[in-house]
Amino acid sequence: SGFRIMKLAILGGTFNPVHIGHLMLAEDVRKEFGYDKILFIPACVPPHKAYKACVSDSDRLEMLRLATKDNPYFEVDDCELKRKGVSYTIDTIYDLEYRYQEKIEGKIGLIIGDDLLSGFESWHLAETLALRVRLIVGRRNSSVLPLESKFPFSPLSNSILPISSSDIRNRIINKKSWRYLVPESVFQYINERNLYE
């Protein structure tokens, strides 16, 4: 895969499970801002965020791999799972800057949902993080409130898909339909292993 300079953006989350909303958001960022690669980075779930249905890190990772494998611009990076403990985004950025040194054009794009913007300043080393990344804010709900932050950010004019992982988990538990909220490969994976039931 030779040496080349590229624009890199990351989308983190628990991805429990990954769904089409995550994929659409990443694709919107890629198209609108011209990124060459979007890294999906599953967070190490802290123990207090326990789910009724225990899904392993390897399950979440495998579902992400299945969901992204057909898109050459998408890649899964398991650095936060390998690092264990609380996943601080700034550590991930330093890690990526080191691993991709001299291959990244400009700042790494950090994709977050508008629901996280107001609390961004409480993130670990938020000031440093805001300087090191290009903060890209996607819309998760249709509230037309103008987004505000003391940090510079790029708003994304993405389509809003009102889908959440918790809603999908609830649908599975309550035996409601959820098939088309996730890629087919992820649907098959969850069904074969009876995850979230």
Side-chain angles (χ1 to χ4, degrees):
S1 64
F3 181 88
R4 66 188 192 88
I5 303 291
M6 61 178 170
K7 284 179 73 175
L8 182 71
I10 66 172
L11 179 61
T14 48
F15 299 114
N16 193 26
V18 58
H19 55 69
I20 59 171
H22 295 128
L23 301 168
M24 273 295 295
L25 178 61
E27 185 69 358
D28 272 333
V29 168
R30 187 183 78 74
K31 297 279 279 198
E32 188 166 332
F33 297 121
Y35 281 94
D36 300 300
K37 183 172 288 195
I38 310 271
L39 294 183
F40 289 72
I41 305 184
C44 199
V45 180
H48 59 256
K49 201 175 179 182
Y51 299 109
K52 288 191 190 77
C54 201
V55 174
S56 67
D57 287 351
S58 59
D59 278 330
R60 289 189 296 128
L61 196 56
E62 186 56 32
M63 288 189 282
L64 262 180
R65 290 200 172 120
L66 289 168
T68 57
K69 73 176 189 307
D70 295 327
N71 188 326
Y73 304 101
F74 290 176
E75 204 173 289
V76 181
D77 192 297
D78 62 355
C79 64
E80 293 188 355
L81 295 180
K82 282 187 178 141
R83 207 160 59 226
K84 303 287 187 205
V86 181
S87 304
Y88 291 123
T89 303
I90 188 70
D91 294 337
T92 300
I93 294 299
Y94 286 144
D95 181 17
L96 291 171
E97 284 176 343
Y98 175 73
R99 280 192 282 142
Y100 285 88
Q101 58 191 313
E102 292 167 23
K103 288 187 190 168
I104 301 175
E105 176 191 319
K107 296 177 177 181
I108 293 175
L110 172 61
I111 308 165
I112 66 169
D114 56 9
D115 51 328
L116 298 181
L117 185 61
S118 62
F120 186 79
E121 53 187 287
S122 68
W123 286 30
H124 184 58
L125 298 177
E127 304 271 348
T128 310
L129 182 59
L131 286 172
R132 296 210 77 81
V133 301
R134 176 184 189 180
L135 192 57
I136 299 168
V137 181
R139 299 181 308 159
R140 289 209 53 185
N141 47 49
S142 49
S143 60
V144 288
L145 293 171
L147 295 175
E148 285 178 8
S149 173
K150 66 177 200 177
F151 303 112
F153 66 91
S154 304
L156 182 70
S157 55
N158 59 304
S159 35
I160 297 169
L161 294 179
I163 303 169
S164 71
S165 297
S166 56
D167 177 48
I168 292 171
R169 295 196 302 270
N170 286 332
R171 283 173 167 272
I172 294 172
I173 290 166
N174 296 311
K175 307 264 189 282
K176 290 184 172 163
S177 71
W178 55 279
R179 178 173 192 163
Y180 300 106
L181 300 178
V182 299
E184 182 66 17
S185 54
V186 173
F187 175 74
Q188 303 288 359
Y189 187 92
I190 291 172
N191 263 351
E192 282 163 17
R193 288 160 185 76
N194 302 313
L195 302 184
Y196 304 112
E197 284 179 12

